[in-house]
Amino acid sequence: MPVRPGPIRSILILQTKYIGDLVLSSALAKNLQLEYPGVRIVFLCDGRFAGLLTANDIASEVVTFRRSHMRGSPLRRAQELVLTLFRLRRYRFDMAIDITDTRTSRFILGLVGARVRVGYQRRKRPLPWLDLQPANVKAKPFGYGERHFLYRYLSPLEALGIDLRQRVPAIEPPSSQATKALALLDKFHLRPNAFVAVHAGASFPGRRWLPERFAAAIDRISAETGLGVALVGGPDENEAVEKILATAKTPVVNLVGELPLETLPALFKQARLFIGNDSGPMHMAAAAGTPVVGLFGLQKPIHWGPVGAPSISVRPSMPCDCVAKDICQRPDGNKACCVWRLEVDTVVDATLELLARTRTALEAAV
């Protein structure tokens, strides 16, 4: 289907997944801003993540939906979908880009009223009429010959013929967020570039490294480096945090629930290093330019590893005997407990190596 020419003044990005996906998608938004100066970038995302996008200048505006309603009864799902479509159509977008690529997101793409509609090339299916693609510009499943999911989210640029000017996410927190982060550090007597930020949470229990191993790693890293340690995360991650605090011998600052999501990039920017599970904050820290040690299980770092900052991704040997047959749902990498097999020595060694590797750059900056 030919695309009608015309100016691009407003663009909708449909990204209804999670924090890590939104952080990776920020590189797409930045390239669009560079290609179309003054363009209004609007994201459709879960309402919990709206502040992260607007407070850090990733999006001009956000249209939100309630995930709980989208997963509710058929009537509730229909009501939420109609309300979302009504709000989106009022913008009269010139372009809409669907990087969520679900039946629901493709349905929205077809009805949002944009002149240019970008989606992914469809795979062959037994009943293709059940999986219609309303896009008039179709991107490869992964662009630029790369396998990392970052390049899935950048692939629409290649389909549109737009130069790739910014290859990785780069979050530059505004001064208002930096001020909040520095005030929090001062409150807890943490010095910038003198502490390690640790995130022990993840969306599924199987992707969370064991709290007692986090505690053992924290003790060794603190003893060998003299760096402070701050635990970060949301209020729903308190269970793992309490186990770490009860087990670690080193004094650990608990910042869990102390600051909103939108301020986390500014906090990470002040950290000397980040250690955490394969989850959204890991991608956020990398995008803020903080060195990252990422802890992986069945998910492959080649697909989901941190990008945008010096990093080391650690993963136990594969394949392995299942350590949690009652919880694991293999082959789904999001629901497997392989990270539980990761040894403390492996994480500590990676952390010390990355600290040594980035010390010269830090000293030069100072």
Side-chain angles (χ1 to χ4, degrees):
M1 184 185 301
V3 178
R4 300 191 306 276
I8 301 297
R9 293 159 299 195
S10 60
I11 300 174
L12 169 67
I13 298 176
L14 293 119
Q15 178 52 288
T16 63
K17 295 184 180 179
Y18 296 96
I19 296 172
D21 302 276
L22 287 165
V23 172
L24 294 177
S25 304
S26 69
L28 169 64
K30 182 60 177 180
N31 279 281
L32 292 169
Q33 290 167 345
L34 293 171
E35 179 69 17
Y36 306 109
V39 71
R40 178 166 62 172
I41 302 287
V42 179
F43 270 75
L44 173 66
C45 74
D46 188 311
R48 295 172 297 170
F49 312 140
L52 171 67
L53 298 178
T54 54
N56 291 282
D57 300 323
I58 296 169
S60 310
E61 298 176 46
V62 173
V63 174
T64 63
F65 69 95
R66 290 168 289 186
R67 194 180 300 278
S68 60
H69 285 207
M70 284 292 194
R71 292 177 174 175
S73 66
L75 176 60
R76 178 159 285 189
R77 289 200 302 270
Q79 290 173 333
E80 188 71 12
L81 187 57
V82 169
L83 177 62
T84 300
L85 275 169
F86 174 76
R87 294 168 65 197
L88 289 172
R89 286 183 62 87
R90 292 190 303 177
Y91 281 86
R92 301 184 182 275
F93 292 107
D94 298 308
M95 181 187 293
I97 303 176
D98 174 21
I99 52 176
T100 304
D101 197 34
T102 62
R103 288 183 182 175
T104 300
S105 66
R106 290 192 289 275
F107 178 75
I108 293 172
L109 180 68
L111 294 181
V112 78
R115 171 168 40 88
V116 181
R117 302 180 301 280
V118 186
Y120 292 108
Q121 298 169 359
R122 304 308 308 140
R123 291 170 291 181
K124 292 183 179 179
R125 299 181 185 274
L127 299 173
W129 55 273
L130 287 175
D131 211 10
L132 297 178
Q133 174 55 278
N136 52 21
V137 175
K138 297 179 183 178
K140 298 175 184 176
F142 286 84
Y144 305 97
E146 301 284 350
R147 290 188 288 170
H148 195 286
F149 263 75
L150 167 66
Y151 293 94
R152 178 167 176 81
Y153 299 147
L154 289 173
S155 185
L157 299 172
E158 192 175 37
L160 289 163
I162 295 174
D163 290 339
L164 181 56
R165 305 182 203 180
Q166 183 163 312
R167 192 169 274 271
V168 296
I171 298 178
E172 289 294 336
S175 58
S176 59
Q177 299 301 325
T179 299
K180 292 178 183 178
L182 289 170
L184 187 68
L185 295 183
D186 185 61
K187 175 183 175 182
F188 287 93
H189 309 292
L190 288 168
R191 292 182 293 113
N193 292 316
F195 71 97
V196 175
V198 176
H199 178 241
S203 56
F204 178 74
R207 291 174 65 178
R208 302 170 196 157
W209 198 36
L210 300 172
E212 59 269 25
R213 296 193 181 184
F214 266 115
I218 286 169
D219 286 339
R220 286 185 51 190
I221 292 165
S222 179
E224 295 195 36
T225 67
L227 292 170
V229 177
L231 298 175
V232 299
D236 57 339
E237 296 168 345
N238 275 323
E239 183 179 352
V241 168
E242 292 300 329
K243 289 180 181 178
I244 294 171
L245 293 172
T247 308
K249 299 173 184 176
T250 303
V252 177
V253 175
N254 182 11
L255 299 182
V256 172
E258 288 286 339
L259 73 174
L261 183 65
E262 55 263 31
T263 310
L264 269 181
L267 179 76
F268 291 150
K269 207 166 188 66
Q270 301 299 327
R272 177 65 181 86
L273 184 134
F274 172 93
I275 303 172
N277 299 313
D278 170 24
S279 64
M282 178 194 73
H283 292 290
M284 202 185 300
T290 304
V292 170
V293 174
L295 315 183
F296 285 78
L298 191 60
Q299 294 256 89
K300 295 180 179 179
I302 195 171
H303 297 308
W304 287 105
V307 290
S311 67
I312 296 177
S313 296
V314 291
R315 186 176 181 238
S317 58
M318 297 289 172
C320 65
D321 293 330
C322 186
V323 294
K325 291 182 172 62
D326 56 332
I327 298 177
C328 285
Q329 298 180 36
R330 299 180 66 163
D332 186 343
N334 290 315
K335 298 180 180 179
C337 302
C338 304
V339 74
W340 293 4
R341 294 177 53 249
L342 199 57
E343 296 293 339
V344 172
D345 286 349
T346 303
V347 175
V348 173
D349 290 347
T351 301
L352 297 178
E353 178 186 338
L354 189 56
L355 285 170
R357 188 194 301 174
T358 55
R359 184 175 296 122
T360 302
L362 178 65
E363 290 171 351
V366 175

